[in-house]
Amino acid sequence: MTGLPDPSTSRAVLIGTAGYRHLAALPAVEANVKDLAAELCDATIWGLPGQHCTTVLDPQHPAELLDPVHRAGEEATDTLLVYFAGHGMRDTATDDLYLALQGSRQNIGYTAVAYQQVRSALRDSRAQRKVVVLDCCFSGRAARTLGPEEEAFAEQAAVEGAYVLTASPRDRAALAPDGERHTAFTGELLRILRDGVHDGPELLDLDTLCRTMEARLRSKNRPLPQSAQERGMGRLRLVRNRARAVAGTPAGPVLDADVRAAMVAAGIGLARSLRAAGRSGDALPVLRLALQERAPDGEGDLLAVQLELSEMLEETGRTREAIEVLEQAFHQVHRFYGPESVQVCRRLAGLLQESGNHIDACVVLEHALDLLEDGSRAPL
């Protein structure tokens, strides 16, 4: 692929267990999850919409860890990224990997989540590309079960058709250095995302990320990351290289809001052009995407997209869906008084009347009159 994974059809699930009842606490894990989510959603790095990035902190039961992975796997069609930070445990009899929950007990597999269950969820996903990042530590007896096989940890965690990046230090000190906000592995990953790679390409692929992490961790005498991949997944360009960004370019939430606003405006413009060319059917998915990507505080943009979408649905004979869209918009008009609010009421009332629902149509028109009395200048 030539660009980054499509944020609108990609998903990320970031899981971290920081507090334990029977194992050593890993307070840095909470910062790992929160900060990694912020970077992945930053428009100058990947631009994943916030609603497409699920964070799970301190899961107590297997379902709390696995359900979000299954949901994201069903929703994603481009790329699915799953991250876990916390204690990893190995079954002394089978050598299987388990991901620790708050109440997990050392060497007792049924108190944790078998990695095999995560692997199954990934295999069942519709996503074309899958990325797994495991920031796990092993301590006590569980660490001793690894022996010389520790170097093969990434291969053991491999998923068909996926890229797996792992950290498997033997002890807690290597995972979470004292006085540092993040674990060693995730901290280095975050530094690369935030600062970029000065001699790297404009878009950073997974192999470049892994090699850069390895070089930097080696220079600090810290455990080295491991990777396993299939189908050339290491060439997947996942994030933008911040080191190649133009000086002075705004970053963070401001740019993210600008990008969302531009996407909505471009989506409406493209949909109208397609509609004018008699291709309303092609315009519908464009408007649905614009509706999904609008800024959280953009009620005006929301109403504009909903109005356009309802018109096209009506034109294509999908009156019931048009009414549903307008009903959703109607619940927003009390927060945004403007011409679009009155248009929503007028159009919804007309469709309700045509469908024989005269009483609800009158209620909607009464609300439109109230809007006009409250100062709207738009004609009814």
Side-chain angles (χ1 to χ4, degrees), residues 4 16 76 78 82 102 112 139 144 148 218 266 324 332:
L4 298 179
D78 189 319
V82 176
Q102 273 196 325
S139 58
R144 290 192 293 274
R218 188 188 304 277
E324 290 175 355
Q332 305 293 326

Side-chain angles (χ1 to χ4, degrees), residues 16 43 61 65 83-84 122 151 175 195 295 311 316 322 357 373:
H61 307 289
L65 189 154
Y83 166 93
F84 174 82
L122 291 165
E151 295 303 318
L175 179 75
D195 302 332
E311 285 185 4
T316 56
N357 198 338
E373 292 175 359

Side-chain angles (χ1 to χ4, degrees), residues 49-61:
Q51 66 269 27
H52 293 177
C53 184
T54 302
T55 59
V56 181
L57 284 170
D58 291 331
Q60 299 186 49
H61 307 289

